[in-house]
Amino acid sequence: MSSGKGGELIPSSSELDLDRPNIEDYLPSGSSIHEPVGKLRLCNLLDISPTLTEAAGAIVDDSFTRCFKSNPPEPWNWNVYLFPLWWCGVVIRYLILFPVRVIVLTVGWIIFLSCFIPVHLLLKGHDKLQKNMERALVELICSFFVASWTGVINYHGPRPSMRPKQVFVANHTSMIDFIILEQMSSFAVIMQKHPGWVGLLQSTILESVGCIWFNRSEAKDRETVTKKLREHSQGVDNNPLLIFPEGTCVNNQYSVMFKKGAFELGCTICPIAIKYNKIFVDAFWNSRKQSFTMHLLQLMTSWAVVCDVWYLEPQNLRPDETPIEFAERVRDIISVRAGLKKVPWDGYLKYSRPSSKHRERKQQSFAESVLRRLEEK
Amino acid sequence: MGNTSSMLTQYDIEEVQQHCNNAFSQQEIVSLYERFCQLDRNGGGFVSGEEFLSVPEFAVNPLSQRLLTMLDGLNFKEFVAFLSAFSPRATVQQKIEFIVKVYDSDGNGKVTFNDMLDVLHDLTGQFISEHQREQVLTKVLEEAGYTKESLLVMSDFVKILGSSGLKMEVEVPVD
């Protein structure tokens, strides 16, 4: 699906707008398709039913909210025979599996910290050795995390090779996406800075694999972030960058629009598609509903986290493509592989209102049709 | 979801159905309830203006502010009654009644020239000047046999809109 060239990408100075292809291509619109003709009459001005219908349609169901709806696995315990079975399952999960997993994770942390802290403090002079050891240790602790949810991960496709000027992008469902990918190969990631223990981890351990922080409010200052990204991707010895261009966690059934930042670095883009099997657990981290701690606990009391990871063919910017079109093309590749439906919304609309440009476009088109029909006899 | 009273009883459903004059089937009412709870994020029993505006498709609609004054603070029963004009089972009369309510900002059943001008302003934004808007509206009003001073009521709207085949329906997704 290609967004229209030339006339449809309306040039505008608003930053948010430069991020999007033409939304009207995607939205269900009855009214904007047919062009009304004929002399302007009172009923044409007073008939607001198309606009009202669009508003009511949005109230009843809208594609943006659907992206962030949790989809817990279907309950199956609803009769006398299945209920005791389910109850046994609960007992096993909470009283047997959970303590075992906590032990596994604790052991993992002890091993990790007792190796990491000495390496970090003592090997200060030997940069290369220190980096390699820290990378290996981070991969180790990620493996322990994955084991603590009984993660069953199927990796498909060739393992990413470490080459310079290469950036990895993936769809985003939860912060565990990073852990799952990190256990296979060491990535540097760009992340929203979080409070609490997660933030502590970010500023200590993840520093060693080379991470870039931002704040969503600062993300509007795109230049700082882009500069940091560019510097990192040019650096020879840095871990390859892993970017989640959606900018927010989506529920693994839909994909929201990709931010173009990753696609204008002049690097090869290696797409990664991640799909969780929701029969076992809903891996979507609904940050509006739960803290990350609760989310991890939920994962640790489920049977397993089963997911598929596909490493897809690397893509480059084509000569006739803009970065936005490139981003959409890669989003298409990932969405098809992971079975996600695409929606035309910017993930940051979770935190802010849409730009007034969209409403103005509708107003402009109506105004022009009124003025045009006024002239007709 | 964990809201206050997230379970609808059969009695509740029937009460809501009666209140909206059977505009929706029982299944549709259950779906609408799920949607209401989804929008009502803080569980207050009603959906605030902010919560409606968090739906981007609604926020970009030119008439969203006008609709918000009608939607703010509605409980679920009233919410369904509000949407009943958009049911395929609603009559043309009910749909026109809804349109009049949108226009009639002071709720006295009469739509003034200024009311119509306000709505036209919402729909056209800055792309027509205030003066031009007045001109256009006056011209089409006079051609239809009214004047700037006319106060339009329900029967006028039926005459003006009733023949144009009003299409005003939404589909409630039912699992």
Side-chain angles (χ1 to χ4, degrees), chain A residues 106-295:
Chain A
T106 316
V107 165
W109 273 107
I110 294 175
I111 298 179
F112 174 75
L113 287 171
S114 55
C115 296
F116 190 83
I117 295 179
V119 165
H120 194 69
L121 296 175
L122 299 178
L123 285 184
K124 273 267 187 288
H126 311 86
D127 261 358
K128 192 137 177 84
L129 183 60
Q130 178 188 27
K131 262 201 175 172
N132 286 332
M133 290 204 69
E134 287 180 349
R135 276 177 204 176
L137 284 173
V138 172
E139 282 183 36
L140 181 71
I141 188 65
C142 287
S143 303
F144 269 103
F145 260 113
V146 171
S148 76
W149 328 304
T150 317
V152 178
I153 305 171
N154 298 316
Y155 295 94
H156 309 267
R159 226 178 111 166
S161 45
M162 297 304 129
R163 282 195 286 237
K165 301 206 69 129
Q166 213 177 226
V167 166
F168 290 82
V169 304
N171 59 310
H172 200 26
T173 306
S174 159
M175 287 216 289
I176 68 175
D177 291 336
F178 169 67
I179 298 178
I180 285 175
L181 293 177
E182 187 79 14
Q183 79 154 355
M184 252 293 143
S185 33
S186 219
F187 290 109
V189 76
I190 167 168
M191 281 176 97
Q192 161 83 24
K193 195 73 193 286
H194 280 88
W197 64 272
V198 181
L200 184 61
L201 283 188
Q202 286 180 320
S203 39
T204 50
I205 296 166
L206 292 180
E207 276 304 322
S208 65
V209 288
C211 291
I212 301 176
W213 314 120
F214 68 90
N215 254 316
R216 283 214 173 85
S217 42
E218 191 203 308
K220 292 230 197 278
D221 183 4
R222 192 169 288 134
E223 280 158 39
T224 324
V225 174
T226 315
K227 197 165 72 110
K228 290 188 200 170
L229 286 179
R230 206 182 287 271
E231 270 166 24
H232 186 108
S233 58
Q234 312 288 12
V236 173
D237 209 23
N238 289 330
N239 278 336
L241 262 178
L242 172 63
I243 300 182
F244 296 106
E246 288 173 309
T248 188
C249 290
V250 185
N251 73 357
N252 209 225
Q253 315 233 278
Y254 295 89
S255 67
V256 296
M257 290 189 32
F258 278 11
K259 302 201 172 313
K260 63 176 178 156
F263 300 88
E264 25 179 45
L265 295 173
C267 300
T268 309
I269 301 285
C270 305
I272 302 178
I274 308 178
K275 181 76 170 179
Y276 293 90
N277 188 328
K278 88 178 155 68
I279 296 182
F280 293 90
V281 73
D282 177 20
F284 168 48
W285 177 35
N286 194 339
S287 51
R288 285 192 278 206
K289 289 225 159 92
Q290 347 168 263
S291 67
F292 189 59
T293 318
M294 285 310 301
H295 175 61

Side-chain angles (χ1 to χ4, degrees), chain A residues 39 59 62 353 359 363, chain B residues 35 38 50 59 103 122 143:
Chain A
K39 188 163 178 301
I59 294 176
D62 77 293
R353 300 271 163 266
R359 183 182 312 144
Q363 289 173 327
Chain B
R35 175 66 173 178
Q38 195 184 52
E50 271 303 302
Y103 274 101
D122 284 340
E143 281 175 5

Side-chain angles (χ1 to χ4, degrees), chain A residues 2 12 17-18 24 45 47 58 100 103 148 166 186-187 198 201 222 226 253 293 302 304-305 312 333 348 377:
Chain A
S2 67
S12 118
D17 246 24
L18 291 173
E24 261 69 37
L45 279 191
D47 184 4
V100 167
I103 294 174
S148 76
Q166 213 177 226
S186 219
F187 290 109
V198 181
L201 283 188
R222 192 169 288 134
T226 315
Q253 315 233 278
T293 318
S302 335
V305 172
L312 301 170
I333 293 173
Y348 277 9
K377 293 290 165 251

